[in-house]
């Protein structure tokens, strides 16, 4: 008898097959390949998971919500990673898009998505612009809805019955005596992921910090107000308690990043020089208008010599020997009143270094915005130094409130620390010195917190593109695995698209 040892599998199979030719009822079965464990959290049930949030979770991208963007939303990516390919979002039926920023509260507005474009003849500089769109319209109600995230949705929009502040929620869920969170909790979710608080602070920030910075009255609160921190925490607790009423439910809360570093606020520098330095006619007009303004200013102070120097308005200046120090002109209603020859002098000044001008103005700076007293950037379109301090203080307060709500849950809630993750992405960033953030590198590919090539932001400079959503999804998955003993698979951000840049004329 010949002993066969360490033979290849093919030889062994051939030998068995030969023996079976002479053996009655002989059969060969290939060994079973062990199946990988199903993706799960050992300490939490994700079989009926829901997401709640605002624009960041809804799928808004390039300023619009489309079926193609909601299908690439962070919640949908999560469901897809579990093999669930059903559409679980409240998707619009728009084909081009309704711009939630440019159209404001007018759902019949016709401004469409932002796009990034290289102007004809440009070298390396591209601009954000918007194109024609269409009135907003939701698709039919999704009977499989699990992503309860809506453009601009804030915590009060979920807790207050019959609240009409958010047209997107009322258009989709209806406006009745039952609050949205009551409707959602009725489905007894087993797990939930909340992105609440972020939009509450963002609304104040993208509307020029013109609203209340500490609104304690929920009945008069609007999108541009910051909800008092204690009231925010009370309403967040109400949402959490409703969802944890299912005794087996657990969940995750995302905290709030320092979004003032996002390119929406930092892409445009305070200095108008790069936009006008080669435009001699424009520069001539700017200097002439500045001289006329300064003459009226000096005339007033000559007639009022006792006016304190510390409170006097600054002059507007574009000195030929000091390029790259020419601040964009902005309206500042905190400036004192001046009347010369019976006419009030416009309340304008040049922006200072650390103030933030919204990205949407960049395309107009060379021509029609921010270079004359008559076209100064309005107060609703930039953020002053004092307002920056308020916003960052509120981010810290809200994040502490989120931590406290999670800590009171007896381990049923965890916090996904995307604040620290974005700080990591922004390592090295210095807007004034024009030093870009380092971002991260995945499989040799850069992921940078910018708009444009290798960027993670869509063309609106606030919401993430698909590759950016993939990064944040992995942070959520990592947190869930670590805290609930899970084996959920992350996604490869390199499998997702970035934000395209168009070439004018093509």
């Amino acid at each position: 008898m010949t002993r066969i040892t360490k033979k290849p599998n093919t030889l062994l199979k051939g030998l068995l097959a030969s023996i079976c030719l002479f053996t009655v009822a002989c059969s060969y079965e290939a060994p079973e390949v062990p199946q990988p464990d199903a993706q799960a959290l050992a300490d939490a049930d994700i079989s009926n998971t829901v997401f709640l949030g605002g624009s960041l979770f809804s799928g808004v991208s390039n300023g619009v919500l489309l079926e193609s963007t909601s299908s690439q939303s962070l919640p949908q990516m999560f469901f897809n990673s579990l093999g669930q390919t059903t559409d679980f979002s409240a998707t619009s039926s728009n084909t081009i898009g309704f711009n939630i920023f440019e159209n404001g509260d007018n759902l019949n507005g016709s401004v469409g998505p932002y796009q990034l474009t290289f102007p004809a003849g440009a070298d390396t500089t591209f601009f954000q612009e918007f194109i024609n769109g269409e009135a907003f319209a939701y698709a039919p109600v999704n009977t499989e809805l699990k992503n309860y995230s809506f453009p601009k949705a804030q915590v009060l929009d979920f807790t207050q019955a019959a609240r009409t502040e958010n047209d997107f929620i009322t258009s989709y869920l209806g406006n009745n005596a039952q609050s949205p969170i009551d409707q959602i909790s009725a489905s007894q979710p087993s797990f939930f992921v909340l992105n609440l608080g972020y939009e509450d602070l963002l609304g104040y920030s993208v509307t020029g910090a013109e609203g209340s910075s500490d609104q304690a009255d929920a009945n008069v609160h609007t999108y541009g107000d910051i909800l008092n921190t204690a009231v925010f925490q009370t309403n967040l607790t109400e949402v959490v308690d409703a969802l944890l009423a299912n005794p087996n439910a657990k969940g995750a809360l995302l905290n709030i990043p320092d979004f003032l570093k996002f390119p929406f606020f930092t892409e445009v520098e305070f200095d108008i020089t790069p936009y006008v330095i080669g435009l001699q006619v424009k520069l001539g007009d700017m200097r002439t208008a500045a001289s006329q303004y300064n003459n009226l200013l000096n005339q007033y102070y000559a007639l009022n010599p006792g006016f304190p120097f510390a409170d006097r308005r600054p002059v507007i200046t574009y000195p030929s020997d000091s390029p790259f120090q020419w601040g964009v002109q902005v309206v500042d209603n905190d400036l004192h009143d001046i009347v010369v020859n019976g006419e009030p002098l416009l309340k304008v000044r040049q922006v200072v270094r650390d103030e933030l001008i919204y990205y949407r103005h960049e395309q107009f700076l060379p021509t029609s915005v921010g270079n004359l007293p008559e076209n100064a950037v309005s107060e609703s379109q930039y953020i002053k130094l004092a307002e920056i301090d308020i916003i960052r203080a509120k981010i810290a307060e809200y994040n502490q409130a989120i931590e406290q709500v999670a800590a009171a849950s007896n381990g049923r809630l965890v916090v996904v620390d995307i604040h620290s993750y974005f700080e990591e992405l922004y390592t090295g960033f210095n807007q004034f010195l024009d030093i870009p953030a380092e971002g991260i590198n995945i499989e040799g590919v850069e992921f940078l917190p910018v708009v444009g090539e290798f960027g993670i932001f869509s063309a609106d400079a606030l919401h993430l593109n698909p590759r950016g959503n993939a990064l944040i999804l992995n942070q959520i998955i990592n947190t869930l695995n670590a805290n609930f003993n899970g084996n959920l698979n992350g996604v490869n951000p390199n499998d997702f698209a970035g934000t395209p840049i168009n070439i004018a004329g093509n």
Side-chain angles (χ1 to χ4, degrees):
M1 180 176 183
T2 303
R3 175 172 295 179
I4 301 174
T5 59
K6 296 184 180 180
K7 293 292 185 180
N9 286 341
T10 52
L11 179 59
L12 178 60
K13 290 179 182 178
L15 182 61
L16 289 172
S18 299
I19 294 172
C20 285
L21 290 175
F22 302 98
T23 306
V24 178
C26 178
S27 64
Y28 169 73
E29 294 183 2
E32 292 186 5
V33 178
Q35 294 297 317
D37 293 336
Q39 293 190 67
L41 302 178
D43 300 330
D45 176 8
I46 58 171
S47 62
N48 184 20
T49 297
V50 298
F51 285 74
L52 273 73
S55 303
L56 188 66
F57 273 8
S58 71
V60 167
S61 183
N62 304 325
V64 302
L65 177 65
L66 301 172
E67 183 178 357
S68 60
T69 62
S70 67
S71 68
Q72 298 276 332
S73 69
L74 190 155
Q76 192 63 47
M77 284 184 182
F78 175 83
F79 293 123
N80 291 348
S81 73
L82 300 178
Q84 303 172 21
T85 57
T86 302
D87 177 8
F88 293 112
S89 299
T91 304
S92 84
S93 57
N94 293 112
T95 56
I96 303 174
F98 169 91
N99 193 307
I100 67 172
F101 300 109
E102 298 292 340
N103 291 303
D105 295 330
N106 179 16
L107 293 185
N108 292 314
S110 59
V111 179
Y114 296 110
Q115 63 180 17
L116 306 177
T117 300
F118 283 112
D123 46 12
T124 60
T125 302
F126 58 83
F127 286 92
Q128 179 201 58
E129 60 183 10
F130 48 80
I131 62 176
N132 291 333
E134 57 206 319
F136 185 83
Y138 269 123
V141 173
N142 186 351
T143 58
E144 302 292 332
L145 190 66
K146 291 187 177 182
N147 179 18
Y148 295 91
S149 303
F150 304 89
K152 297 185 177 182
Q154 302 182 338
V155 67
L156 290 178
D157 297 318
F158 290 100
T159 59
Q160 304 297 302
R163 178 174 165 87
T164 59
E165 172 65 21
N166 187 294
D167 290 326
F168 300 102
I169 286 187
T170 56
S171 296
Y172 196 83
L173 293 182
N175 181 15
N176 53 49
Q178 189 180 37
S179 68
I181 190 57
D182 288 337
Q183 298 180 53
I184 297 166
S185 61
S187 66
Q188 292 286 293
S190 63
F191 198 86
F192 54 89
V193 182
L194 306 185
N195 181 33
L196 297 175
Y198 170 74
E199 198 83 49
D200 297 73
L201 302 181
L202 188 66
Y204 176 83
S205 306
V206 299
T207 55
E210 294 289 277
S212 170
S213 62
D214 194 42
Q215 179 56 260
D217 188 346
N219 294 319
V220 299
H221 174 276
T222 63
Y223 180 72
D225 295 334
I226 293 179
L227 192 62
N228 171 272
T229 304
V231 179
F232 164 73
Q233 185 168 343
T234 297
N235 281 269
L236 178 61
T237 301
E238 182 178 339
V239 172
V240 165
D241 287 349
L243 294 170
L244 291 179
N246 176 354
N248 297 317
K250 293 182 180 179
L253 312 179
L254 271 67
N255 67 6
I256 304 166
D258 182 0
F259 53 77
L260 292 183
K261 294 179 179 178
F262 289 5
F264 179 88
F265 300 100
T266 57
E267 185 71 21
V268 179
E269 299 179 14
F270 81 101
D271 179 23
I272 201 172
T273 309
Y275 304 101
V276 298
I277 192 64
L279 307 176
Q280 295 307 311
V281 174
K282 173 59 67 176
L283 274 174
D285 292 342
M286 290 165 58
R287 290 187 170 121
T288 297
S291 177
Q292 293 172 348
Y293 176 90
N294 294 338
N295 288 339
L296 293 173
L297 204 61
N298 293 333
Q299 182 179 338
Y300 177 83
Y301 291 129
L303 295 173
N304 298 274
F307 199 96
F309 280 96
D311 297 329
R312 295 189 179 192
R313 294 194 196 181
V315 297
I316 297 173
T317 177
Y318 301 105
S320 57
D321 59 346
S322 301
F324 306 104
Q325 298 180 35
W326 304 345
V328 175
Q329 291 189 43
V330 295
V331 174
D332 186 350
N333 289 317
D334 293 334
L335 298 173
H336 70 87
D337 294 329
I338 289 180
V339 178
V340 181
N341 301 325
E343 293 292 331
L345 190 63
L346 293 173
K347 291 187 175 184
V348 298
R349 62 173 173 84
Q350 288 172 288
V351 75
V352 298
R353 189 182 78 188
D354 292 324
E355 293 179 318
L356 303 175
I357 298 173
Y358 300 158
Y359 184 33
R360 63 165 64 103
H361 290 306
E362 185 182 51
Q363 62 178 305
F364 304 114
L365 290 176
T367 54
S368 58
V369 168
N371 48 61
L372 302 173
E374 292 76 20
N375 65 25
V377 175
S378 71
E379 281 202 322
S380 64
Q381 300 294 321
Y382 77 102
I383 305 180
K384 301 176 184 178
L385 293 178
E387 296 162 346
I388 292 172
D389 291 339
I390 289 172
I391 294 166
R392 288 201 161 116
K394 288 294 185 179
I395 290 174
E397 289 179 17
Y398 270 41
N399 280 343
Q400 184 178 23
I402 291 169
E403 290 284 352
Q404 290 173 350
V405 171
S409 69
N410 293 321
R412 298 174 68 185
L413 297 176
V414 296
V415 175
V416 182
D417 188 8
I418 63 169
H419 183 279
S420 294
Y421 185 67
F422 272 102
E423 291 302 292
E424 179 184 347
L425 292 176
Y426 275 103
T427 298
F429 175 67
N430 189 303
Q431 183 187 19
F432 177 63
L433 297 178
D434 199 26
I435 300 175
E438 294 178 9
I440 61 171
N441 187 291
I442 299 175
E443 297 179 353
V445 179
E446 289 185 302
F447 286 76
L448 305 175
V450 299
V451 289
E453 190 177 16
F454 302 115
I456 64 172
F457 286 94
S458 72
D460 60 36
L462 267 180
H463 298 102
L464 302 172
N465 58 25
R467 69 201 306 259
N469 283 333
L471 288 183
I472 304 306
L473 173 59
N474 283 343
Q475 297 309 302
I476 295 174
I477 288 176
N478 291 342
T479 301
L480 300 188
N481 283 339
N483 288 274
F484 294 118
N485 190 21
N487 68 344
L488 304 183
N489 294 327
V491 297
N492 185 347
N494 285 313
D495 291 340
F496 298 91
T499 302
I501 305 178
N502 304 297
I503 299 177
N506 288 3

